[in-house]
């Protein structure tokens, strides 16, 4: 079977060397040496400051909201976000008592439409949570300036945007915070894990206390905290995956290029934002109709290929997060299909299976 993605497994020998070190030290968690090493190496690799490793990408969002004062308030609070995303973007808000208010996406980039953000701002709005969906950069300048003008925070869910640069600098530098997911299925992973990149050092320091129960010293507790610490085994995996990231990226680019050669003039694709790089994390295509999507899935399944309908349904159409208010997102969600992409995914086989469908 050819799944939509496969976790990247780095050299076993390299991982064993890190595990030997963990056994020798007997230091398994609580900001251990490997977590510190991975923090420093990721800051260098990504070209950012103020990076905090956490135990998963959902907690990265939740801790970012807390550290920025978006959650944990007594009054009713809203955050403007996109319905075309993985459910964690919205569930992390609702879990902490903030109402996600959906604003529709741009029909070409599939990211939040900045013009529509302004119209959705109310006195209860504390934040906007845009998603760089499929690693495509949001209109960061427009979003950042709208937020500044209205005194609201910006947290980018950058779970798909590992390593993406915009105008020559890390995309993660935009917003008051940007969060990453290092789940096994993501481009860069630590089995489970995540990170927050803060604009301000003070926010980073507050979050650093928050992820360790709010403890600030042997006998002091200064914040309401949670346990969101990354452990040494996660960091060991991350260091090994990072050591091989260039090879992984090159292999993914090769798969991407094969798809483009085979399908480039037959299908509709996401419009990539000018000035931003591609990290080849996903290969989404937009088909003519939901009926066509179902036909293509059936055909690909016959050939052992398991594409996925990321992200469907549009979150505004679910009973938990409705009411339905985003027709563009709904339209894209019914016609989207993500094709398998991972190091050495058999793109030619997948494209050939699609060719039959397109004859
Ligand atoms: C994967 C993902 C998350 C959640 O990350 P976890 O590490 O699985 O908790 C959040 N948002 C988006 C857009 C994602 O793709």
């Amino acid at each position: 079977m050819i799944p939509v993605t496969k976790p990247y497994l780095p050299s076993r020998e390299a991982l064993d060397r890190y595990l030997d070190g963990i056994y020798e030290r007997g230091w398994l968690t609580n900001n251990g040496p490997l977590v510190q090493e991975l923090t420093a190496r990721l800051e260098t690799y990504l070209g950012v400051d103020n990076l905090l490793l956490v135990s998963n990408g959902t907690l990265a969002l939740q801790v970012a909201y807390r550290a920025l004062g978006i959650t944990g308030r007594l009054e009713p609070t809203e955050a403007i976000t996109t319905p075309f995303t993985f459910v964690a973007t919205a569930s992390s808000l609702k879990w902490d008592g903030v109402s996600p208010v959906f604003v529709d996406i741009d029909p070409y980039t599939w990211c939040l439409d900045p013009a529509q953000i302004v119209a959705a701002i109310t006195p209860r709005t504390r934040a906007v949570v845009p998603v760089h969906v499929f690693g495509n950069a949001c209109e960061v300048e427009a979003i950042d300036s709208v937020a500044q003008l209205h005194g609201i925070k910006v947290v980018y869910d950058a779970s798909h945007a590992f390593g993406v640069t915009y105008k020559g600098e890390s995309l993660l530098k935009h917003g008051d915070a940007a969060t990453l997911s290092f789940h096994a299925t993501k481009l860069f992973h630590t089995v489970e894990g995540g990170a927050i990149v803060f604009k301000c050092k003070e926010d980073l320091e507050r979050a650093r206390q928050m992820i360790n129960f709010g403890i600030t010293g042997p006998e002091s507790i200064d914040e309401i905290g949670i346990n969101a610490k990354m452990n040494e085994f996660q960091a060991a995996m991350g260091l090994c995956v990072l050591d091989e990231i260039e090879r992984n990226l090159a292999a993914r680019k090769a798969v991407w290029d094969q798809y483009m050669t085979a399908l480039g003039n037959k299908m509709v694709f996401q419009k990539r934002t000018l000035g931003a790089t591609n990290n080849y994390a996903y290969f989404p295509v937009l088909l003519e109709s939901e009926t066509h999507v179902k036909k293509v899935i059936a055909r690909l399944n016959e050939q052992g290929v398991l594409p996925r309908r990321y992200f469907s349904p549009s979150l505004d159409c679910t009973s938990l997060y409705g009411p339905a208010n985003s027709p563009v997102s709904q339209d894209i969600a019914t016609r989207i299909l993500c094709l398998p992409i991972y190091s050495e995914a058999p793109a030619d086989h997948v494209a050939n299976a699609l060719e039959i469908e397109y004859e």
Side-chain angles (χ1 to χ4, degrees):
M1 281 297 179
I2 300 156
V4 72
T5 186
K6 267 188 192 172
Y8 184 86
L9 289 171
S11 152
R12 181 63 194 270
E13 289 72 35
L15 183 63
D16 282 344
R17 280 196 294 278
Y18 281 109
L19 298 187
D20 287 344
I22 297 175
Y23 268 69
E24 278 157 28
R25 287 185 295 273
W27 187 350
L28 306 190
T29 187
N30 286 42
N31 199 29
L34 297 185
V35 164
Q36 293 173 34
E37 186 180 339
L38 183 60
T39 303
R41 287 207 36 211
L42 282 174
E43 285 186 342
T44 305
Y45 178 77
L46 297 169
V48 298
D49 298 316
N50 303 332
L51 182 143
L52 182 68
L53 289 172
V54 293
S55 45
N56 63 60
T58 305
L59 278 162
L61 286 163
Q62 290 178 274
V63 170
Y65 304 150
R66 269 279 172 167
L68 295 170
I70 298 160
T71 53
R73 310 184 73 83
L74 293 174
E75 71 273 16
T77 304
E78 294 171 358
I80 293 166
T81 189
T82 166
F84 188 66
T85 181
F86 183 59
V87 66
T89 315
S91 64
S92 57
L93 288 164
K94 204 146 184 162
W95 183 269
D96 280 327
V98 171
S99 306
V101 172
F102 294 122
V103 151
D104 213 348
I105 55 172
D106 177 274
Y108 304 105
T109 66
W110 309 341
C111 293
L112 269 191
D113 178 354
Q116 297 198 43
I117 294 175
V118 183
I121 294 174
T122 74
R124 293 179 295 280
T125 309
R126 305 261 345 152
V128 51
V129 184
V131 179
H132 301 304
V133 73
F134 303 132
N136 199 27
C138 292
E139 290 182 54
V140 286
E141 283 118 353
I143 292 171
D144 292 352
S145 67
V146 162
Q148 221 160 38
L149 193 67
H150 294 269
I152 59 181
K153 302 284 185 185
V154 185
V155 177
Y156 286 102
D157 182 341
S159 295
H160 302 170
F162 184 85
V164 173
T165 65
Y166 176 67
K167 295 187 176 170
E169 285 203 82
S170 175
L171 180 60
L172 306 170
K173 288 189 166 182
H174 287 273
D176 298 286
T179 67
L180 292 163
S181 164
F182 300 155
H183 184 259
T185 55
K186 302 296 207 276
L187 171 62
F188 168 81
H189 78 92
T190 59
V191 187
E192 293 270 2
I196 313 166
V197 175
F198 286 101
K199 180 156 282 169
C200 298
K201 184 111 191 136
E202 305 82 76
D203 294 330
L204 168 79
E205 293 309 332
R206 195 172 317 117
R208 195 194 299 287
Q209 296 169 2
M210 284 179 168
I211 67 167
N212 189 31
F213 312 100
I215 294 170
T216 50
E219 277 146 36
S220 59
I221 304 158
D222 285 354
E223 301 270 3
I224 302 277
I226 194 161
N227 180 0
K229 301 186 299 293
M230 178 175 278
N231 69 50
E232 291 290 278
F233 288 77
Q234 291 172 296
M237 180 61 95
L239 286 163
C240 293
V241 174
L242 192 58
D243 280 334
E244 298 176 22
I245 194 86
E246 296 306 335
R247 195 185 318 162
N248 185 8
L249 283 170
R252 281 170 170 275
K253 181 179 187 308
V255 172
W256 175 283
D257 290 343
Q258 274 178 297
Y259 274 136
M260 271 306 181
T261 306
L263 308 170
N265 51 13
K266 297 196 182 83
M267 294 203 171
V268 179
F269 302 98
Q270 183 179 30
K271 183 180 165 213
R272 309 287 312 183
T273 300
L274 237 61
T277 56
N278 189 349
N279 64 1
Y280 311 104
Y282 298 85
F283 196 86
V285 296
L286 195 61
L287 303 181
E288 287 152 29
S289 63
E290 185 159 34
T291 317
H292 193 207
V293 169
K294 286 180 176 161
K295 258 176 71 182
V296 167
I297 291 175
R299 172 55 61 102
L300 288 176
N301 286 353
E302 278 171 28
Q303 306 287 321
V305 180
L306 306 173
R308 290 292 298 269
R309 299 181 69 185
Y310 294 145
F311 292 96
S312 190
S314 178
L315 292 177
D316 66 308
C317 287
T318 63
S319 57
L320 285 170
Y321 297 100
N325 69 349
S326 302
V328 176
S329 175
Q330 289 162 26
D331 174 51
I332 305 287
T334 52
R335 298 193 286 132
I336 195 86
L337 196 64
C338 282
L339 301 182
I341 188 163
Y342 49 87
S343 180
E344 270 143 44
D348 283 340
H349 175 74
V350 177
N352 284 339
L354 276 165
E355 291 282 343
I356 303 164
E357 180 60 34
Y358 269 80
E359 269 161 15

